[in-house]
């Protein structure tokens, strides 16, 4: 497959000239070599399946046969939460059972003196 035409490829100097040269210690270089050697392997394209291409091929075959094509609904993002449900859950988790509730302090009796009135001023 052709990824880019030659006129679409930009010069690497445009991107990499701003990167500073950094001195790498021997330990860091040895660690990098070890990681590359550990992860290296022979590429076997037969092990991989292009799910997009197979789904597209199936879609085209159904269309050629005149079968209806069902539009699948997008699943909502899983990281979106309903704030009201989260608040209700937090309140529910925060409630204590009657045995766990602390005894309420007795109310202080109101003083017999009436409250002093303010003068409008």
């Amino acid at each position: 497959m052709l990824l880019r035409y030659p006129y679409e490829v930009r010069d690497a100097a445009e991107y990499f000239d701003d990167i500073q040269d950094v001195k790498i210690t021997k330990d860091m270089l040895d660690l990098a070599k070890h990681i590359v050697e550990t992860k290296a392997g022979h590429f076997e394209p037969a092990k991989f399946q292009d799910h997009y291409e197979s789904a597209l091929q199936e879609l085209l075959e159904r269309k050629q046969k005149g079968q209806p094509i069902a539009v699948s609904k997008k699943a909502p993002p899983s990281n979106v939460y309903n704030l009201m449900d989260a608040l209700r859950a937090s309140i529910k988790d925060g409630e204590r059972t009657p045995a766990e509730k602390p005894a309420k302090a007795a109310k202080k009796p109101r003083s017999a003196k009436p409250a002093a009135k303010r003068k409008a001023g």
Side-chain angles (χ1 to χ4, degrees):
M1 292 186 178
L2 178 64
L3 297 179
R4 299 273 184 223
Y5 291 101
Y7 67 88
E8 294 178 316
V9 179
R10 295 183 182 177
D11 185 29
E14 292 178 38
Y15 300 101
F16 299 114
D17 280 347
D18 294 339
I19 298 174
Q20 299 173 359
D21 289 335
V22 179
K23 294 282 184 179
I24 299 173
T25 64
K26 183 181 180 323
D27 292 338
M28 292 294 285
L29 187 60
D30 290 341
L31 178 61
K33 285 180 183 178
H34 173 72
I35 291 172
V36 170
E37 289 169 1
T38 304
K39 299 293 180 181
H42 182 67
F43 178 67
E44 297 178 32
K47 284 187 173 182
F48 298 95
Q49 181 182 7
D50 186 358
H51 296 286
Y52 177 79
E53 186 175 341
S54 59
L56 182 62
Q57 186 65 37
E58 181 182 325
L59 180 74
L60 291 173
E61 288 171 4
R62 292 184 81 192
K63 192 166 185 163
Q64 286 174 344
K65 292 178 184 177
Q67 297 175 345
I69 299 171
V71 178
S72 61
K73 292 184 179 179
K74 281 188 173 180
S78 61
N79 63 347
V80 176
Y81 296 100
N82 183 334
L83 290 178
M84 289 306 293
D85 290 342
L87 287 170
R88 286 185 188 113
S90 69
I91 290 171
K92 186 176 181 182
D93 291 343
E95 290 179 354
R96 297 181 182 163
T97 61
E100 292 177 327
K101 288 184 180 179
K104 289 185 177 180
K107 288 186 176 180
K108 294 181 183 179
R110 288 190 162 190
S111 61
K113 275 198 292 189
K117 292 184 180 180
R118 289 189 184 182
K119 291 184 181 180

